[in-house]
Amino acid sequence: MDDRATVAVLCYHSVAAKTTPTFAALTVDPTLFAEQMAALRECKLDAIRFGEVPAALSQGRSAVAITIDDGLADAADNACPVLAQLGMNATLFVPSGYVGGCSEWLRGADAHRPMLSWNAVESLAHAGFEIGSHGHMHLAADVNPPELVELDARASRYELEDHIGRAVTSFAYPFGYHSAAAQRSVRAAGYRQACAVGELPARMGDNRWALPRLQVDNDTTPEALVAMIQWRPGPPARAWARSKQGVWRLGRRSVGWGPAEAGRLEGAPQ
Ligand SMILES: [Zn+2]
């Protein structure tokens, strides 16, 4: 067992050639995505589902976990075929209340992005991709009442499970926002692990209700992505990343601003 093992949990949103100014940073061009995945494949690290991350960490196995938030139709069109061709697993976090419609929790032009259909969600599940929940209505879990967060998370799990016919155990906090109460709500709603953002690779001993992810942007080169998954931050880098998260959370609760990735999202949303 390697107690220094890490799982780089990568966070994607949109893989598309067209985007909007507010969503541009979170949209990876399909050609770049294919190059990124080919580079990951060369690293010979297992690409696992997010639901397998806690077990991999407890067994001291390093891996990479690709996650795609928001359930946009372009995940099925542009990302999953590349992953399937390379034999790589991934997890799609789907806000169940918007399936078959548009991304109406976003603003302006972003609110009209087409979502996956239920047929597509079911096909992806049957093809072996993990379907996780991104809440039912994409609510920020840290500022809504814990009872509502639990209700929303449970409704999402039931609806996704009804469609795909298998257990849905993974949850991604909408906008990356969470709190201790939100973590308890998600746990009570029947999930087994959850992810936030965090800008760190996950490692043994991390809180399974807020496993950190690494954001992949539209300008992340394949070389930068490989460096990202091989990054083994020492205590100072970890402390710095955690203190940034703590300051963001405090700031968000007290004066309404949030983490860089979520701040971008307040206008363009994650
Ligand atoms: Zn989202």
Side-chain angles (χ1 to χ4, degrees), residues 97-177:
Y98 301 96
V99 173
C102 291
S103 50
E104 292 174 54
W105 72 93
L106 300 174
R107 297 177 197 159
D110 292 318
H112 307 297
R113 299 177 78 95
M115 299 289 292
L116 294 168
S117 64
W118 280 116
N119 272 347
V121 171
E122 290 159 20
S123 301
L124 291 169
H126 292 143
F129 292 104
E130 180 185 17
I131 302 298
S133 169
H134 200 35
H136 187 61
M137 298 307 291
H138 203 284
L139 302 177
D142 61 332
V143 293
N144 281 292
E147 304 75 29
L148 177 61
V149 172
E150 182 181 333
L151 201 67
D152 179 87
R154 183 178 285 113
S156 178
R157 183 168 67 79
Y158 286 168
E159 188 161 20
L160 291 168
E161 288 179 344
D162 281 351
H163 279 276
I164 67 174
R166 62 191 71 183
V168 171
T169 65
S170 298
F171 187 91
Y173 299 103
F175 309 104
Y177 296 142

Side-chain angles (χ1 to χ4, degrees), residues 6 12 21 34-35 51 101 112 138 166 174 183 186 210 214 224 242 250 259:
T6 61
Y12 285 89
E35 291 169 0
H112 307 297
H138 203 284
R166 62 191 71 183
Q183 293 173 26
V186 167
L214 296 158
R242 290 194 194 289
L250 188 67

Side-chain angles (χ1 to χ4, degrees), residues 50-100:
F50 180 72
E52 300 171 89
V53 172
L57 291 173
S58 65
Q59 293 159 7
R61 271 195 301 132
S62 286
V64 58
I66 298 153
T67 69
I68 308 176
D69 283 9
D70 287 346
L72 299 169
D74 63 55
D77 297 340
N78 301 329
C80 292
V82 173
L83 294 165
Q85 193 172 21
L86 292 170
M88 297 169 83
N89 264 318
T91 300
L92 289 96
F93 287 110
V94 177
S96 45
Y98 301 96
V99 173

